[in-house]
Amino acid sequence: MLVDTHCHLGDERFDDDRSQVVGRARDAGVGHVVVIADTLAATTRAIELANEHGLSATAGVHPHAATSWTPRVAQAIEQAVGDPTVVAIGEAGLDYYYDNSPREVQRKVFAAQLELAARRDLPIVVHSRDADDDMVALLEDSDATVVLHSFSSGNDVLQAGLDRGCYISFSGMVTFRNWRNVDAVRAVASDRILVETDAPYLAPVPYRGQRNEPAFVARVAAKVAELRGVVVAELARQTTANAARCFGPRVTLQPN
Ligand code: NI
């Protein structure tokens, strides 16, 4: 059994066939999907879908939407955390590549969500792009359990993540011909590695360029296993045990 630890199942690209997507995941041995939110509206939607399909949800605001963070939104996210389907805060973080929100706002909103995660004893799913120095500084300031999602950062973030015991999650990017971070895939301890799709984005080879979906996490697992020199059954066992330790036992439930 595999767990897709990061899927934007609420994305409109799944509106026409969401139930089939969940069914195909189940048929492919993907036992569970963590439905990721990136805004308050997406948080509400993720919880709805998690309840409907027997999955898990996150609650949080992405750096792209950091300017949407108001006291009212903060309070609504805090309230959403009380839903039994919510297993993590996020996705939250820093994105200095797109800079869709001012950087100081991104830092403030990320820090607030790190504080929320630590206080509510939930992991936080972290997005980091072209913001290595500030990411390292903010992570070192926090006690929260952290998942570095779709890891593709530089060596400083990797080292900081390894040192503070972050979970590190790999996506379909590991199957791309131009993937340069093989050392990172090998450096993560076997009790800290996770796999994800980031669907509908980042479809793995041979689906690159198409809509991604949770069933394809099997391709990610196969490539990560190959790069780490373990059989895929062992990688599946490790990553599923890690997902359950990180997010809690809910992520071992079968979807319906
Ligand atoms: Ni994402």
Side-chain angles (χ1 to χ4, degrees), residues 5-25:
T5 62
H6 195 113
C7 171
H8 298 265
L9 192 64
D11 190 279
E12 61 184 15
R13 292 168 72 183
F14 294 117
D15 282 355
D16 289 341
D17 63 346
R18 195 169 279 108
S19 294
Q20 288 99 300
V21 165
V22 173
R24 281 198 294 272

Side-chain angles (χ1 to χ4, degrees), residues 30-239:
V30 180
H32 201 87
V33 176
V34 180
V35 184
I36 298 291
D38 52 7
T39 62
L40 175 57
T43 297
T44 306
R45 183 70 176 131
I47 291 170
E48 226 171 68
L49 290 171
N51 277 302
E52 185 182 333
H53 295 285
L55 303 174
S56 298
T58 69
V61 172
H62 192 281
H64 288 346
T67 52
S68 74
W69 185 268
T70 61
R72 187 189 66 82
V73 169
Q75 198 184 9
I77 295 287
E78 176 102 39
Q79 209 164 21
V81 166
D83 190 278
T85 62
V86 172
V87 297
I89 305 301
E91 69 177 287
L94 303 173
D95 193 316
Y96 295 173
Y97 179 79
Y98 285 108
D99 273 330
N100 286 354
S101 298
R103 293 180 179 184
E104 60 183 90
V105 178
Q106 293 190 40
R107 287 192 290 270
K108 192 191 86 182
V109 172
F110 181 38
Q113 292 179 90
L114 282 167
E115 186 278 326
L116 173 62
R119 179 160 46 80
R120 298 297 291 262
D121 201 18
L122 284 173
I124 180 167
V125 177
V126 171
H127 170 104
S128 181
R129 188 153 183 204
D130 285 7
D132 288 16
D133 291 352
D134 285 350
M135 179 54 61
V136 168
L138 280 158
L139 289 182
E140 283 176 351
D141 246 13
S142 168
D143 296 327
T145 298
V146 166
V147 177
L148 297 174
H149 117 80
S150 191
F151 187 84
S152 62
S153 297
N155 215 39
D156 290 352
V157 177
L158 176 66
Q159 206 50 54
L162 296 175
D163 288 349
R164 81 187 283 299
C166 292
Y167 289 92
I168 298 184
S169 181
F170 293 97
S171 69
M173 288 173 80
V174 299
T175 68
F176 297 172
R177 196 189 299 270
N178 61 356
W179 174 254
R180 305 233 178 276
N181 225 338
V182 172
D183 290 348
V185 179
R186 294 184 177 140
V188 180
S190 58
D191 65 350
R192 284 295 178 271
I193 192 159
L194 297 170
V195 286
E196 65 172 273
T197 57
D198 203 14
Y201 315 105
L202 297 178
V205 172
Y207 309 107
R208 193 171 180 183
Q210 300 173 32
R211 184 190 69 175
N212 199 1
E213 63 176 71
F216 299 167
V217 78
R219 297 282 176 161
V220 179
K223 188 65 186 184
V224 169
E226 178 198 318
L227 293 175
R228 287 169 69 87
V230 297
V231 296
V232 70
E234 173 66 4
L235 195 274
R237 194 192 59 73
Q238 290 169 353
T239 53

